[in-house]
Amino acid sequence: MTLTIGVDIGGTKVAGGVVDPTGEVLAGTRRDTPADDVAKTRDVIIDVVRELAAGREITAVGIGAAGFVDAGRSTVLFAPNLAWRDEPLQKYISDATGLPVVVENDANVAAWAEFRFGAARHADASMVMFTVGTGIGGGLVTGGRLVRGTNGIAAELGHMTAVPDGHPCGCGRLGCIEQYASGTALVRFARAGARQDPHRASALLALAGNDADRITGPMVTEAARSGDAVACEAFGQIGYWLGTAMTDLVQMLDPQVVVVGGGVADAGDLLMEPVRKAYAESLGQRGRFPVAELRAAEMGNTAGVIGAADLARLAE
């Protein structure tokens, strides 16, 4: 049985695991990310790999990095929440550990985990995945392979235009879907609703000390679960925008499955019900034909580790 190591690197944590060919995590570890120090981040990754490799026959290492990764799966070109700029991560980690290394975007590795072992495991060819967190990431699979693009930076699904000349986005454009269907958008919609109609946001405002500016994403979820009208409507708004964005991709790609993951998706039906409604209503005449099944992600916090490890195994 071949074992590989997957490492999932975010702005706050580095998670690693030993993964077998069935996608099972046999051992794991976690460290804080020294996000503002390139050398220390590199050392943490090396330490994680060495710890997990000790006493095991490891054949390769996969790294999921929160940033843009080059077409050769070796260099992190840019990471918005880390200090990496043209960081040759593959070479550093491989030289230090003596193991083959594959570097991939974090949303891509999560999507791959869902395609291989999670919500889309019954699909044999194609999938679209949206990861809904603070922002929106994504992954595309066609022909059983990740779509990476000419430069390795395809599937930035959060930066499709939803509203021309809409809210400014961190990418430098206006009106990206990330500004209307992400966790950040959820909070913005909830704060606006609480200011406009505080009586319908009583549970939400109580959690925030009656200060709309202190409303957070977890507060919106908690209040929505208790039936707070404004919190529920905020989920309805991001669900609408996400569902309509999915329809555009289904029209273009005709995938077998569309998967919704990420931290905001942990809210379950609070998000998925308005997404399903908007998706169905936006299909128009296309809805008369077979269309992609819409499913919630299943792999949770292990998706990055499992997807990265599996991609490393397949690249051997």
Side-chain angles (χ1 to χ4, degrees):
M1 179 174 64
T2 62
L3 300 178
T4 53
I5 291 173
V7 184
D8 183 17
I9 306 162
T12 60
K13 54 88 179 171
V14 175
V18 178
V19 183
D20 72 12
T22 70
E24 182 178 354
V25 179
L26 305 180
T29 190
R30 177 173 174 151
R31 304 280 195 282
D32 292 335
T33 304
D36 58 350
D37 191 311
V38 172
K40 287 183 179 178
T41 300
R42 186 190 312 145
D43 290 343
V44 166
I45 299 167
I46 293 168
D47 184 50
V48 164
V49 172
R50 286 175 173 166
E51 176 187 333
L52 293 171
R56 298 183 176 95
E57 290 289 331
I58 302 296
T59 60
V61 177
I63 297 175
F68 296 109
V69 177
D70 74 330
R73 292 180 169 181
S74 62
T75 301
V76 182
L77 303 173
F78 174 79
N81 298 311
L82 294 162
W84 286 331
R85 302 294 184 270
D86 295 317
E87 173 74 3
L89 193 60
Q90 180 193 60
K91 177 174 172 54
Y92 281 128
I93 307 305
S94 183
D95 286 351
T97 64
L99 292 166
V101 174
V102 170
V103 183
E104 184 56 271
N105 169 264
D106 62 336
N108 277 352
V109 299
W112 187 251
E114 293 293 344
F115 179 71
R116 288 273 286 151
F117 307 110
R121 62 186 177 275
H122 62 288
D124 58 4
S126 58
M127 180 199 75
V128 173
M129 180 170 172
F130 286 83
T131 55
V132 186
T134 302
I136 291 182
L140 303 176
V141 176
T142 63
R145 299 175 64 88
L146 275 171
V147 176
R148 306 191 67 255
T150 300
N151 300 300
I153 54 176
E156 287 295 322
L157 305 187
H159 300 290
M160 300 184 296
T161 299
V163 180
D165 299 322
H167 289 291
C169 184
C171 74
R173 303 175 68 212
L174 299 176
C176 292
I177 190 65
E178 183 168 287
Q179 297 305 310
Y180 295 87
S182 63
T184 301
L186 178 74
V187 171
R188 190 179 72 247
F189 288 137
R191 288 177 177 176
R195 294 188 193 101
Q196 182 176 349
D197 198 348
H199 295 295
R200 300 178 66 248
S202 56
L204 181 57
L205 284 169
L207 292 170
N210 289 316
D211 183 353
D213 290 336
R214 294 178 56 192
I215 291 172
T216 64
M219 290 177 188
V220 181
T221 301
E222 182 178 346
R225 285 177 174 152
S226 71
D228 183 274
V230 166
C232 290
E233 287 169 5
F235 273 105
Q237 287 174 287
I238 68 167
Y240 166 79
W241 289 109
L242 189 59
T244 55
M246 289 174 180
T247 308
D248 290 339
L249 283 173
V250 167
Q251 298 280 13
M252 287 186 284
L253 301 174
D254 192 26
Q256 292 171 286
V257 188
V258 179
V259 177
V260 182
V264 178
D266 291 342
D269 283 343
L270 288 173
L271 176 64
M272 292 303 296
E273 284 188 4
V275 170
R276 290 188 183 100
K277 183 175 184 289
Y279 176 62
E281 291 177 351
S282 299
L283 285 168
Q285 291 297 317
R286 181 62 184 266
R288 300 176 62 179
F289 304 97
V291 293
E293 180 184 4
L294 178 57
R295 297 178 62 88
E298 297 178 0
M299 304 298 290
N301 293 332
T302 64
V305 167
I306 293 171
D310 196 59
L311 287 169
R313 177 177 292 105
L314 296 174
E316 289 179 72

Short mmCIF file of all heavy atoms in Angstrom, two decimals, residues 73 104 107-109 111-112 127 139-149 311:
data_model
loop_
_atom_site.label_atom_id
_atom_site.label_comp_id
_atom_site.label_asym_id
_atom_site.label_seq_id
_atom_site.Cartn_x
_atom_site.Cartn_y
_atom_site.Cartn_z
N ARG A 73 3.40 23.19 -11.19
CA ARG A 73 3.08 22.74 -9.83
C ARG A 73 4.32 22.76 -8.94
O ARG A 73 4.56 21.85 -8.13
CB ARG A 73 2.49 21.34 -9.84
CG ARG A 73 1.11 21.25 -10.47
CD ARG A 73 0.57 19.85 -10.45
NE ARG A 73 -0.84 19.81 -10.82
CZ ARG A 73 -1.57 18.72 -10.87
NH1 ARG A 73 -1.03 17.56 -10.60
NH2 ARG A 73 -2.85 18.77 -11.21
N GLU A 104 0.01 22.53 -5.31
CA GLU A 104 -1.23 22.85 -6.01
C GLU A 104 -2.03 23.88 -5.21
O GLU A 104 -1.85 24.00 -3.99
CB GLU A 104 -2.06 21.56 -6.21
CG GLU A 104 -3.33 21.70 -7.00
CD GLU A 104 -3.13 22.31 -8.36
OE1 GLU A 104 -3.17 23.56 -8.46
OE2 GLU A 104 -2.91 21.55 -9.33
N ALA A 107 -7.81 25.39 -3.24
CA ALA A 107 -9.17 25.08 -3.69
C ALA A 107 -9.16 23.91 -4.65
O ALA A 107 -10.08 23.06 -4.64
CB ALA A 107 -9.80 26.30 -4.34
N ASN A 108 -8.12 23.81 -5.47
CA ASN A 108 -8.01 22.68 -6.40
C ASN A 108 -7.87 21.35 -5.65
O ASN A 108 -8.47 20.34 -6.04
CB ASN A 108 -6.83 22.87 -7.34
CG ASN A 108 -7.15 23.75 -8.52
OD1 ASN A 108 -8.29 24.11 -8.75
ND2 ASN A 108 -6.13 24.11 -9.28
N VAL A 109 -7.06 21.34 -4.60
CA VAL A 109 -6.87 20.07 -3.89
C VAL A 109 -8.15 19.67 -3.15
O VAL A 109 -8.49 18.48 -3.09
CB VAL A 109 -5.65 20.11 -2.92
CG1 VAL A 109 -4.37 20.37 -3.68
CG2 VAL A 109 -5.83 21.12 -1.81
N ALA A 111 -11.19 20.40 -4.17
CA ALA A 111 -12.08 19.93 -5.22
C ALA A 111 -11.72 18.50 -5.63
O ALA A 111 -12.61 17.66 -5.84
CB ALA A 111 -12.02 20.87 -6.42
N TRP A 112 -10.44 18.24 -5.75
CA TRP A 112 -10.01 16.89 -6.13
C TRP A 112 -10.42 15.85 -5.09
O TRP A 112 -10.84 14.73 -5.44
CB TRP A 112 -8.50 16.86 -6.36
CG TRP A 112 -8.03 15.56 -6.92
CD1 TRP A 112 -7.31 14.60 -6.29
CD2 TRP A 112 -8.28 15.06 -8.24
NE1 TRP A 112 -7.08 13.53 -7.13
CE2 TRP A 112 -7.67 13.80 -8.34
CE3 TRP A 112 -8.95 15.57 -9.34
CZ2 TRP A 112 -7.72 13.02 -9.49
CZ3 TRP A 112 -9.00 14.81 -10.50
CH2 TRP A 112 -8.39 13.56 -10.57
N MET A 127 -16.87 17.73 -12.76
CA MET A 127 -17.39 18.33 -11.55
C MET A 127 -17.01 19.80 -11.52
O MET A 127 -15.94 20.18 -12.00
CB MET A 127 -16.81 17.64 -10.32
CG MET A 127 -17.29 18.20 -8.99
SD MET A 127 -16.19 17.75 -7.61
CE MET A 127 -14.80 18.85 -7.93
N GLY A 139 -12.91 24.85 -8.11
CA GLY A 139 -12.14 23.84 -8.82
C GLY A 139 -13.00 23.24 -9.91
O GLY A 139 -14.21 23.09 -9.75
N LEU A 140 -12.37 22.91 -11.03
CA LEU A 140 -13.05 22.29 -12.17
C LEU A 140 -12.37 20.99 -12.51
O LEU A 140 -11.14 20.90 -12.56
CB LEU A 140 -13.00 23.21 -13.39
CG LEU A 140 -13.56 24.62 -13.29
CD1 LEU A 140 -13.32 25.37 -14.59
CD2 LEU A 140 -15.05 24.57 -12.98
N VAL A 141 -13.18 19.97 -12.77
CA VAL A 141 -12.67 18.69 -13.27
C VAL A 141 -13.41 18.37 -14.55
O VAL A 141 -14.64 18.40 -14.59
CB VAL A 141 -12.89 17.55 -12.25
CG1 VAL A 141 -12.45 16.21 -12.85
CG2 VAL A 141 -12.15 17.82 -10.95
N THR A 142 -12.68 18.12 -15.61
CA THR A 142 -13.27 17.62 -16.85
C THR A 142 -12.40 16.49 -17.37
O THR A 142 -11.17 16.51 -17.22
CB THR A 142 -13.38 18.71 -17.94
OG1 THR A 142 -12.07 19.16 -18.31
CG2 THR A 142 -14.20 19.89 -17.46
N GLY A 143 -13.04 15.49 -17.97
CA GLY A 143 -12.30 14.34 -18.44
C GLY A 143 -11.53 13.63 -17.36
O GLY A 143 -10.51 12.98 -17.62
N GLY A 144 -11.98 13.75 -16.10
CA GLY A 144 -11.30 13.11 -14.99
C GLY A 144 -10.03 13.79 -14.55
O GLY A 144 -9.26 13.22 -13.77
N ARG A 145 -9.79 15.02 -15.01
CA ARG A 145 -8.57 15.74 -14.67
C ARG A 145 -8.90 17.16 -14.22
O ARG A 145 -9.87 17.77 -14.69
CB ARG A 145 -7.61 15.81 -15.86
CG ARG A 145 -7.16 14.45 -16.37
CD ARG A 145 -6.32 14.60 -17.63
NE ARG A 145 -5.09 15.33 -17.40
CZ ARG A 145 -3.95 14.75 -17.00
NH1 ARG A 145 -3.90 13.45 -16.80
NH2 ARG A 145 -2.87 15.48 -16.80
N LEU A 146 -8.08 17.68 -13.31
CA LEU A 146 -8.23 19.07 -12.90
C LEU A 146 -7.97 19.99 -14.07
O LEU A 146 -7.02 19.79 -14.85
CB LEU A 146 -7.23 19.41 -11.79
CG LEU A 146 -7.63 19.10 -10.35
CD1 LEU A 146 -6.42 19.32 -9.45
CD2 LEU A 146 -8.80 19.95 -9.88
N VAL A 147 -8.80 21.01 -14.20
CA VAL A 147 -8.56 22.05 -15.20
C VAL A 147 -7.69 23.11 -14.54
O VAL A 147 -8.12 23.80 -13.61
CB VAL A 147 -9.88 22.68 -15.68
CG1 VAL A 147 -9.61 23.83 -16.64
CG2 VAL A 147 -10.75 21.62 -16.35
N ARG A 148 -6.45 23.25 -15.02
CA ARG A 148 -5.50 24.16 -14.40
C ARG A 148 -5.21 25.39 -15.26
O ARG A 148 -4.73 26.40 -14.76
CB ARG A 148 -4.19 23.43 -14.08
CG ARG A 148 -4.39 22.17 -13.24
CD ARG A 148 -3.09 21.62 -12.71
NE ARG A 148 -2.51 22.52 -11.73
CZ ARG A 148 -1.46 23.30 -11.96
NH1 ARG A 148 -0.89 23.32 -13.16
NH2 ARG A 148 -0.98 24.08 -11.02
N GLY A 149 -5.48 25.30 -16.55
CA GLY A 149 -5.23 26.43 -17.43
C GLY A 149 -3.79 26.50 -17.89
O GLY A 149 -2.90 25.81 -17.38
N LEU A 311 -3.21 13.80 -5.21
CA LEU A 311 -2.57 14.36 -6.40
C LEU A 311 -1.08 14.01 -6.45
O LEU A 311 -0.53 13.75 -7.53
CB LEU A 311 -2.76 15.88 -6.45
CG LEU A 311 -4.17 16.36 -6.80
CD1 LEU A 311 -4.30 17.85 -6.55
CD2 LEU A 311 -4.50 16.04 -8.25
#
